[in-house]
Amino acid sequence: MRFKDVPLKPKLVILIVVGVFLVLAVSMAVIIGTVTSQEEKLAYDKSIEMADNYANQFDAHMKANQAVARTLALTMAEYEASDREEAIGILENVLEGNPSLIGVYLGYEPNAFDGRDRDYVNTSGHDATGRFVPYCNKIEGPLVIEPLVHYDSSDYYQLPKATGKDILTEPYFYEGIFMMSYDSPIFKDGEFAGIAGVDVPLEYVDEVASNIRTFDTGYAFMVSNTGVFLSHPTRKDWIGKKSFSDFDSKEIKNASDDIRQGIGGHIEVKDPTTGKTVIMFYEPVETGESAFVLVVPKEEMLAGVADLRDRLLIISVISILFMAALAYMIARSITKPIDEIVDDFRNIAQDAVKGKLDVRANTDVEIDFREIPSGLNEILRAVIVPVRETIRVTNALAKGELKERVNVDVQGEFRDLGDTLDKFSETLNRIIDDSNAVLTAFQHNDFKREILVHGHGDFKFLTDGIEETRRALDLVTAQRKAAEKALLDYAMELERSNKLKEEMERVINNSPVIVFLWKYESGWPAKFVSENITRLGYEVTDFTSKKVFYEDIVHPEDLENMHEELARNVESGCDVYTSEYRIFTRSGEVRWVDERTFIQRDEKDEIHLQGIILDITEHKKAEEVLLQIEEIHKKEIHHRIKNNLQVISTLLYLESGNFSDRKVMEAFKESQHRVKSMALVHEKLYQSEDMVSVDFADYIQNLSNYLFQSYSVGSGKISLRLDVDNVFLGMDTAVPLGIIINELVSNALKHAFSEGEDGEIYIQLHRNRRDSPSYRENYKNAEDQVAKCEKPDCTGISSTQGINKVEDRLTLIVRDDGKGFPEGLDFRNTDSLGLQLVTALVDQINGSIELDTSRGTGFIITFQDLKYKPGV
């Protein structure tokens, strides 16, 4: 039910009561909030002040005990008599004069008191060392004198000695007594001589704190700065054993952190002992390094606040009920005369609905409401005239008299009603005239005459329908004309295309290239071949009739490579690639061709191949002649380089004879060996058949023999063992690898064996085998490299290339069983030119090197043969 449908009397009562309720509610809320917050603040302030007072009391007591220890230390620092009995008497007097203490003691460094420790061994107040360490206490009741214990390791002695400051120990149990100790250092002539201390029992702390009561059930307890309970009114088993931070409560843990930092405060938490919600107020006891905790039940602390709030709420409810009764009386006095007028209006409305517009309202009402029925009567009189005139004009329009107009003189909306009726007549007349003009144009096949007068509402359907019909007829006429023109243009274009096709076929057939269109099927059947296939002796029908497949004319030695290359490019998504291979003519002649293959895919993802073939046989023959000439030049170059290096080696040998310094002669000798290793590579290249690769097994044998002879061990006790695969390496790999072997073997011959010692130098060179760990690791890396290539180009890496790359890896091991490599020496960071050269050359051949000292000295080098790329 909507609020405007509610009767006036209840509405007035509701508005007055709600308004008064809101005013009173807001006012009382502000008053209650202000008063209760003040009362609550007073309760909190009172509790904080109480906790602070008790903390100050305990602090004063702790300061007094600390002052006793400090005074005793100052007294003994100025004590010159060095009388041990008199000093013990002082301790007894201090203990008797301070009933709150349970023990007083002194602890001196060896011979620091009087230099006579040896005379007092195991006497009263002394232990087996004779040190003056009297402990005067009344732990068991009567006063006794005992020697201090554990002073060599305990904090009560060691901390003052280390820091030179007063200390307060953590609470601890000794002889069944829970206590704390205050200790002060004794200095004589600026040097640490010992300590003076007092023991304070904590039973009185528990007694005093346990007797404190606040409100009805509030209580208090003490904890140390580390959280250990020093007292509790009910849980005596917690004292000295349980920590305040052990409770699983975030609020208590935060309070423990504050206590540890000497900060006061309060928290609201559930009491672990009673289960009630309480406020815990905690204040630090600075001197005792502890805290006083006051526990107050929240409901007891705020009981007065809750009672005051309840009384204020009762007053608010009574005020609202009183204002509701008053509002009802006011509403009744207002609504009674209004109800009488409403009943009279209802009767007039019922007559008006029945068409009786001559009925008038009763004006005999209270003076404040008399204008209402009088105004209604004036409205009824003003309505009758325009209604009757409207009925007259409407009847005329229904008879087709569209020129009839409203003739009465009225004002306001009645004038608007007459003008609207006149406008309707005029608009309808214009629509009919304009529509007749368009329909007349249709009869003469004129569809360009548009509707100029557009109606609204239902008239819009009429005018828009005529306009849409005109546009449709106009569009059909235009499309028919366009279709006729398009057919004529297509006929002309088709004629031009046929001519262009004939010209292209003439160009292809007269060119040196042959065009094929194959199916990607077994044998590569041709769907199309250019007519100039006759250059190879074949006819077009040989291929289109499938008597000859394209695979049939490819040289058998090239066929497998073509299959693999095509499959690889199709799988990789390549669109075009080039290749060279050999084919047979009809007469059996072998010809070299260069083919550019286009890979096409239709909507069904079917593959079609288009190839352009160019005969390059003469070009290939010219290349072979050039290669033969290049081989001769290479052979001559390697021979000359070998001779030049031999000359350099001889010059180094001769020049070394001009020096007597052993290190200089050794440097010349090493350089001579390096040059010899390079000359040997060029000699092997000169002797090889392809002038590109070196028989490295034979090279290692020759180089090793040369080195053994150079170091005069040809018939000695050091033997050489070789385990080398039949490996051929290119010059880019052979030269640096030969120098590496030269350096490692030379180092072994010079440094690995003592004079007269037997030994063996072992050289191994193998390609990575498929069953070796290094092969499997490199193979996996190659697979990962292929997988990362999402869409390589026509020259991108394939899985076959990746595996071949792995199998190109080789492992070289040079090992001796001598005295081993020096410990702690990093072979990659040494002053030795030979090892620096080895590590640099390993990087040059894209290899890795590791040192193995498990059996003598062994260097393990893994590398890849760098394919020699001659300059063009």
Side-chain angles (χ1 to χ4, degrees):
M1 185 177 181
R2 296 178 299 178
F3 187 71
K4 67 179 182 178
D5 296 331
V6 177
L8 181 60
K9 187 188 297 181
K11 189 181 294 184
L12 288 173
V13 174
I14 291 172
L15 291 174
I16 294 173
V17 172
V18 170
V20 172
F21 172 77
L22 291 175
V23 172
L24 288 176
V26 173
S27 301
M28 296 308 295
V30 172
I31 294 171
I32 291 172
T34 303
V35 173
T36 54
S37 63
Q38 290 176 350
E39 288 295 323
E40 186 174 341
K41 185 175 183 303
L42 288 174
Y44 272 90
D45 291 344
K46 179 181 176 182
S47 299
I48 293 172
E49 183 179 1
M50 184 183 300
D52 187 54
N53 288 337
Y54 280 113
N56 289 335
Q57 291 178 21
F58 283 106
D59 187 56
H61 193 274
M62 296 293 182
K63 284 183 178 178
N65 293 329
Q66 186 181 35
V68 173
R70 187 176 295 126
T71 301
L72 182 59
L74 294 175
T75 300
M76 298 310 297
E78 300 296 330
Y79 184 64
E80 301 293 342
S82 300
D83 187 340
R84 300 195 181 200
E85 295 296 331
E86 184 178 8
I88 293 174
I90 293 174
L91 295 180
E92 293 175 345
N93 291 334
V94 171
L95 184 59
E96 292 176 353
N98 294 273
S100 62
L101 302 180
I102 198 170
V104 182
Y105 51 87
L106 295 172
Y108 275 88
E109 290 283 277
N111 291 314
F113 185 74
D114 56 5
R116 299 171 56 202
D117 289 355
R118 187 169 50 184
D119 299 335
Y120 291 90
V121 173
N122 290 327
T123 61
S124 178
H126 303 77
D127 58 10
T129 65
R131 291 173 62 174
F132 188 44
V133 287
Y135 179 35
C136 182
N137 67 83
K138 47 185 179 181
I139 294 176
E140 297 181 355
L143 188 149
V144 296
I145 303 297
E146 299 175 334
L148 294 174
V149 295
H150 308 307
Y151 50 79
D152 288 334
S153 59
S154 299
D155 290 345
Y156 77 89
Y157 189 94
Q158 295 300 324
L159 285 179
K161 179 180 178 180
T163 63
K165 298 180 181 179
D166 298 345
I167 67 144
L168 172 64
T169 66
E170 279 288 310
Y172 63 94
F173 282 97
Y174 180 71
E175 299 290 339
I177 303 297
F178 192 47
M179 64 179 69
M180 293 190 301
S181 297
Y182 291 94
D183 298 284
S184 295
I186 301 172
F187 289 95
K188 286 189 175 182
D189 299 327
E191 297 291 332
F192 176 79
I195 65 164
V198 298
D199 290 340
V200 182
L202 295 178
E203 285 85 350
Y204 87 94
V205 173
D206 183 44
E207 293 175 1
V208 174
S210 298
N211 291 328
I212 295 173
R213 291 290 182 271
T214 178
F215 294 95
D216 294 333
T217 61
Y219 63 93
F221 59 86
M222 295 273 292
V223 294
S224 69
N225 276 10
T226 59
V228 177
F229 279 91
L230 305 181
S231 72
H232 198 281
T234 58
R235 299 303 300 268
K236 303 300 182 182
D237 56 322
W238 289 358
I239 299 175
K241 298 177 181 178
K242 193 172 183 64
S243 175
F244 194 46
S245 60
D246 292 341
F247 295 105
D248 189 15
S249 170
K250 181 180 178 181
E251 292 79 8
I252 292 179
K253 292 186 183 298
N254 292 337
S256 299
D257 293 338
D258 288 346
I259 291 172
R260 187 177 295 107
Q261 300 175 29
I263 301 173
H266 62 273
I267 59 172
E268 181 177 334
V269 70
K270 182 174 287 187
D271 190 347
T273 58
T274 64
K276 295 181 179 179
T277 300
V278 298
I279 309 297
M280 287 188 180
F281 299 88
Y282 48 91
E283 290 294 333
V285 180
E286 181 179 356
T287 304
E289 294 187 358
S290 57
F292 176 81
V293 182
L294 185 64
V295 182
V296 183
K298 185 176 181 181
E299 61 180 5
E300 295 178 10
M301 187 177 74
L302 303 180
V305 177
D307 182 61
L308 177 61
R309 181 175 60 245
D310 293 341
R311 282 183 286 171
L312 292 173
L313 288 173
I314 293 171
I315 294 173
S316 300
V317 172
I318 293 173
S319 300
I320 292 172
L321 294 176
F322 174 76
M323 292 305 299
L326 181 61
Y328 177 78
M329 294 176 63
I330 294 172
R332 181 177 175 81
S333 65
I334 294 174
T335 58
K336 183 177 180 180
I338 295 176
D339 290 341
E340 295 175 354
I341 295 174
V342 169
D343 290 339
D344 191 27
F345 274 32
R346 187 181 298 111
N347 295 330
I348 294 174
Q350 292 174 354
D351 290 339
V353 170
K354 296 176 183 178
K356 299 178 181 179
L357 299 180
D358 294 331
V359 180
R360 296 296 180 263
N362 181 19
T363 58
D364 185 14
V365 295
E366 294 185 14
I367 188 168
D368 292 331
F369 301 100
R370 195 169 297 163
E371 291 296 327
I372 296 175
S374 298
L376 179 59
N377 292 336
E378 290 294 329
I379 293 172
L380 291 173
R381 283 192 292 271
V383 168
I384 291 174
V385 174
V387 168
R388 290 175 177 171
E389 181 65 14
T390 300
I391 292 172
R392 184 188 67 80
V393 174
T394 302
N395 289 332
L397 293 176
K399 297 175 182 179
E401 300 174 0
L402 301 181
K403 298 192 179 295
E404 192 64 39
R405 298 293 182 267
V406 176
N407 296 322
V408 297
D409 185 14
V410 291
Q411 303 296 325
E413 293 185 3
F414 293 118
R415 166 55 64 186
D416 293 340
L417 175 62
D419 292 344
T420 301
L421 191 58
D422 291 344
K423 186 177 180 181
F424 169 73
S425 301
E426 183 179 351
T427 301
L428 183 58
N429 194 21
R430 292 174 59 232
I431 288 173
I432 292 173
D433 291 342
D434 188 56
S435 299
N436 286 332
V438 172
L439 295 174
T440 301
F442 284 180
Q443 296 174 359
H444 297 88
N445 291 326
D446 180 9
F447 303 109
K448 300 298 184 182
R449 171 63 165 84
E450 299 180 0
I451 287 290
L452 302 178
V453 180
H454 294 273
H456 299 280
D458 291 338
F459 292 122
K460 181 175 177 57
F461 290 119
L462 173 63
T463 56
D464 288 353
I466 296 173
E467 179 62 17
E468 289 177 4
T469 302
R470 182 197 66 79
R471 290 177 181 172
L473 292 173
D474 188 35
L475 179 61
V476 168
T477 302
Q479 289 177 344
R480 178 177 57 78
K481 293 179 180 179
E484 293 173 354
K485 183 177 182 302
L487 287 173
L488 182 60
D489 293 342
Y490 177 74
M492 297 175 65
E493 183 65 25
L494 184 61
E495 184 179 358
R496 286 196 298 269
S497 297
N498 290 333
K499 291 181 180 180
L500 180 60
K501 178 183 177 183
E502 293 174 358
E503 291 176 1
M504 290 298 296
E505 288 179 350
R506 283 196 299 273
V507 170
I508 292 173
N509 293 329
N510 293 329
S511 70
V513 299
I514 302 172
V515 178
F516 273 90
L517 184 61
W518 302 290
K519 295 180 180 179
Y520 187 47
E521 298 174 2
S522 177
W524 301 329
K527 294 193 296 184
F528 170 81
V529 61
S530 59
E531 293 181 359
N532 58 350
I533 189 65
T534 55
R535 294 175 182 269
L536 302 179
Y538 299 102
E539 298 294 333
V540 173
T541 55
D542 292 340
F543 291 93
T544 57
S545 65
K546 297 185 179 180
K547 291 180 181 179
V548 179
F549 290 84
Y550 191 76
E551 185 181 81
D552 298 337
I553 70 172
V554 177
H555 197 285
E557 295 179 2
D558 298 337
L559 190 58
E560 183 178 356
N561 289 336
M562 287 185 63
H563 277 290
E564 291 178 357
E565 189 172 18
L566 176 59
R568 182 172 65 250
N569 285 288
V570 169
E571 291 173 3
S572 66
C574 184
D575 294 330
V576 59
Y577 70 96
T578 59
S579 59
E580 293 181 2
Y581 56 90
R582 291 164 292 177
I583 64 173
F584 294 108
T585 65
R586 168 76 77 173
S587 61
E589 182 185 1
V590 177
R591 307 291 292 179
W592 277 95
V593 295
D594 178 271
E595 179 190 336
R596 186 172 183 84
T597 305
F598 298 88
I599 303 174
Q600 301 172 345
R601 297 169 177 82
D602 57 19
E603 294 105 2
K604 298 180 180 179
D605 206 26
E606 293 182 356
I607 297 174
H608 305 278
L609 306 176
Q610 179 180 334
I612 300 175
I613 299 171
L614 178 64
D615 189 337
I616 58 170
T617 304
E618 299 304 322
H619 176 71
K620 280 291 185 179
K621 291 180 179 179
E623 282 185 352
E624 290 177 1
V625 173
L626 291 175
L627 287 174
Q628 292 175 0
I629 296 173
E630 185 178 358
E631 290 295 325
I632 296 172
H633 289 168
K634 284 183 181 178
K635 200 171 186 69
E636 181 65 22
I637 289 170
H638 287 305
H639 182 65
R640 292 188 180 186
I641 292 175
K642 187 263 295 184
N643 290 341
N644 290 335
L645 290 174
Q646 291 283 18
V647 171
I648 294 172
S649 177
T650 303
L651 290 175
L652 289 171
Y653 172 74
L654 295 175
E655 187 65 25
S656 64
N658 296 328
F659 298 93
S660 59
D661 187 286
R662 187 179 61 81
K663 291 184 178 180
V664 175
M665 295 175 67
E666 185 68 25
F668 272 99
K669 187 175 183 180
E670 290 176 355
S671 298
Q672 181 185 354
H673 293 166
R674 290 167 187 148
V675 173
K676 180 65 177 179
S677 68
M678 290 186 288
L680 191 58
V681 171
H682 288 281
E683 181 179 354
K684 295 299 179 183
L685 283 171
Y686 174 73
Q687 295 171 356
S688 66
E689 295 180 359
D690 58 2
M691 298 300 294
V692 174
S693 58
V694 176
D695 183 352
F696 215 71
D698 184 53
Y699 172 81
I700 292 177
Q701 180 70 58
N702 293 343
L703 178 61
S704 301
N705 292 337
Y706 165 75
L707 293 174
F708 269 64
Q709 292 173 3
S710 298
Y711 286 96
S712 300
V713 293
S715 59
K717 298 181 180 180
I718 301 175
S719 61
L720 173 68
R721 183 161 62 95
L722 298 179
D723 181 10
V724 182
D725 283 350
N726 188 19
V727 175
F728 286 83
L729 299 179
M731 183 178 66
D732 290 348
T733 305
V735 171
L737 194 62
I739 297 175
I740 290 172
I741 295 173
N742 171 79
E743 297 299 327
L744 296 180
V745 173
S746 298
N747 278 349
L749 291 172
K750 289 189 297 181
H751 305 297
F753 308 101
S754 302
E755 186 174 354
E757 182 183 3
D758 293 342
E760 180 186 72
I761 296 177
Y762 170 68
I763 303 176
Q764 181 190 64
L765 178 63
H766 289 302
R767 288 195 181 274
N768 284 359
R769 300 186 178 94
R770 291 180 178 268
D771 58 349
S772 67
S774 60
Y775 175 86
R776 289 194 293 270
E777 180 180 357
N778 293 325
Y779 185 86
K780 183 178 183 304
N781 293 335
E783 285 184 330
D784 293 341
Q785 184 178 2
V786 173
K788 291 178 182 177
C789 187
E790 295 180 356
K791 187 178 179 183
D793 57 18
C794 301
T795 58
I797 185 170
S798 67
S799 58
T800 303
Q801 290 172 325
I803 294 172
N804 292 337
K805 184 176 180 181
V806 171
E807 294 179 342
D808 281 344
R809 304 289 291 180
L810 297 99
T811 300
L812 169 69
I813 300 176
V814 179
R815 182 187 303 281
D816 64 72
D817 58 358
K819 53 190 176 182
F821 201 78
E823 293 186 2
L825 180 63
D826 183 3
F827 74 92
R828 292 186 175 88
N829 187 15
T830 178
D831 294 334
S832 170
L833 176 61
L835 289 178
Q836 291 178 9
L837 190 60
V838 167
T839 55
L841 292 174
V842 168
D843 291 338
Q844 181 176 324
I845 60 175
N846 296 334
S848 62
I849 181 171
E850 297 295 336
L851 174 64
D852 178 15
T853 59
S854 60
R855 303 188 307 276
T857 301
F859 287 91
I860 304 171
I861 301 171
T862 304
F863 63 96
Q864 181 180 349
D865 185 16
L866 302 176
K867 299 303 181 183
Y868 175 65
K869 296 181 180 179
V872 178

